Amino acid sequence: MNKHGHLAEFLQARRSRLRPEDVGLRTYGERRRVPGLRREELAMLAGISAPYYTRLEQGQSRNASREVLDAVAGALRLDDAERAHLHTLAGAPRRRGPGARPRPERITPATRALLAAVDGTPAVVIGRRSDVLAWNRPGHGLFAGHLDPDSPDDPGGAGGAGGPGRRPNMARLVFLDAHTRDLYADWPAKARAVVGNLRLTAGRHPDDPLLAALIGELTMRSREFATLWADHRVLACDVADYEMRHPLVGTLTVTQQTLQSPQGDGPSLVVATADPGSPSAAALALLAHATAPPREADRPHHGADPRTV
């Protein structure tokens, strides 16, 4: 589906959620055939003509001005992330050459150096389709200690929880992997965040066949994903607190922060921190110690007297 198909679905979903009483409109007890506001009611609230709004919602108007889109966003009571998503969907579609496919995502040496610099803090590098491109030892231990630590290095495909290839995919893990589901005490909140972020990505990259395949797979394999995807909610995953039930260090609450490139189109660095001095910080320190490589002095030496090792 192209951007304008996504735009139509997004506007319809948002309009259906607003009731006349939510925006100060009186219905005088009339029976309404459709949920939410009618198109002409939303057009009136936005200060534009009903025929123009109808064309916009049907994907037939592809040159809406920023002012018109802001007026529609205000009438729909969109938040900042939803407003930005609306502008993205209404923009001109980017065309890809015939047969062209997205390039495999890889991390740069600079990103790998940044990952090494925060080695004592759980950190994961996530691609735009939620593939795990790299992680440090604590990041692997916190988010997916049951998986092969070298699996992100496999460029053959994004896997995890039954997907192709070995490279883990966080969206697949959240919806299809029992370990990851049990890891989050409030799994529905994590699930909504994953779907909301995928919605933003799909709006920016409507012609990405790998992203479309991922969404199609999750829709078929997870009823919960299909329900959330049909809701058309968007969510920028910048900062969020999650209570985690970790099999090694117990229950802890972490703040997951997502650091993106200035263009917002490259891999993201996700780090997990806890309040200094808290039991959760102690749990993260224990995890970092448990996942640290053995020191040279701790390794047995071949030929040494075992009584001195």
Side-chain angles (χ1 to χ4, degrees), residues 208-222:
D208 186 331
L210 299 181
L211 179 61
L214 171 66
I215 293 168
E217 176 195 347
L218 292 175
T219 299
M220 293 296 294
R221 298 181 63 187
S222 170

Side-chain angles (χ1 to χ4, degrees), residues 207-266:
D207 53 357
D208 186 331
L210 299 181
L211 179 61
L214 171 66
I215 293 168
E217 176 195 347
L218 292 175
T219 299
M220 293 296 294
R221 298 181 63 187
S222 170
R223 181 178 300 177
E224 292 148 317
F225 179 90
T227 299
L228 290 171
W229 187 254
D231 196 46
H232 283 269
R233 291 189 184 273
V234 300
L235 181 64
C237 298
D238 298 326
V239 181
D241 294 331
Y242 293 105
E243 180 182 334
M244 306 181 78
R245 298 174 295 203
H246 196 274
L248 184 61
V249 298
T251 300
L252 69 162
T253 298
V254 301
T255 299
Q256 293 185 19
Q257 300 183 64
T258 302
L259 310 177
Q260 296 182 327
S261 64
Q263 294 79 17
D265 199 32

Side-chain angles (χ1 to χ4, degrees), residues 23-36:
V23 294
L25 295 179
R26 290 190 175 186
T27 61
Y28 301 100
E30 64 178 303
R31 299 186 63 182
R32 303 171 72 86
R33 293 184 300 172
V34 295

Side-chain angles (χ1 to χ4, degrees), residues 16-152:
S16 69
R17 282 200 200 95
L18 281 179
R19 298 173 301 175
E21 53 268 32
D22 294 334
V23 294
L25 295 179
R26 290 190 175 186
T27 61
Y28 301 100
E30 64 178 303
R31 299 186 63 182
R32 303 171 72 86
R33 293 184 300 172
V34 295
L37 295 180
R38 295 168 175 153
R39 286 173 177 164
E40 57 269 23
E41 291 171 335
L42 185 63
M44 179 188 67
L45 292 171
I48 59 179
S49 72
Y52 181 82
Y53 176 77
T54 299
R55 291 195 301 272
L56 182 65
E57 190 176 282
Q58 293 176 342
Q60 298 173 1
S61 178
R62 305 191 177 190
N63 58 351
S65 68
R66 176 169 293 273
E67 292 74 18
V68 166
L69 294 175
D70 283 337
V72 172
L76 289 172
R77 299 188 172 185
L78 303 185
D79 61 24
D80 291 343
E82 293 167 334
R83 184 183 295 262
H85 185 60
L86 172 63
H87 281 275
T88 298
L89 294 179
R94 289 171 289 182
R95 299 186 180 276
R96 192 180 296 275
R101 290 182 62 82
R103 296 179 180 178
E105 290 186 284
R106 304 180 186 276
I107 66 172
T108 64
T111 301
R112 195 170 291 278
L114 178 60
L115 190 62
V118 296
D119 191 54
T121 301
V124 182
V125 179
I126 304 292
R128 78 182 188 208
R129 305 176 196 94
S130 73
D131 298 330
V132 177
L133 307 184
W135 47 30
N136 60 14
R137 289 174 182 267
H140 166 253
L142 179 64
F143 294 108
H146 62 304
L147 299 182
D148 182 350
D150 296 327
S151 55

Side-chain angles (χ1 to χ4, degrees), residues 271-303:
V271 296
T273 58
D275 291 337
S278 67
S280 295
L284 285 183
L286 177 60
L287 180 66
H289 177 76
T291 57
R295 296 178 302 173
E296 186 65 30
D298 295 335
R299 295 173 180 168
H301 298 280
H302 295 292

Side-chain angles (χ1 to χ4, degrees), residues 167-204:
R167 175 172 283 173
N169 179 280
M170 291 307 296
R172 283 195 184 96
L173 290 174
V174 166
F175 282 95
L176 304 178
D177 181 69
H179 172 92
T180 306
R181 180 183 287 261
D182 291 341
L183 192 61
Y184 289 92
D186 188 356
W187 180 86
K190 181 62 178 178
R192 288 191 298 270
V194 169
V195 174
N197 189 64
L198 277 179
R199 268 286 173 200
L200 288 174
T201 304
R204 298 187 188 109

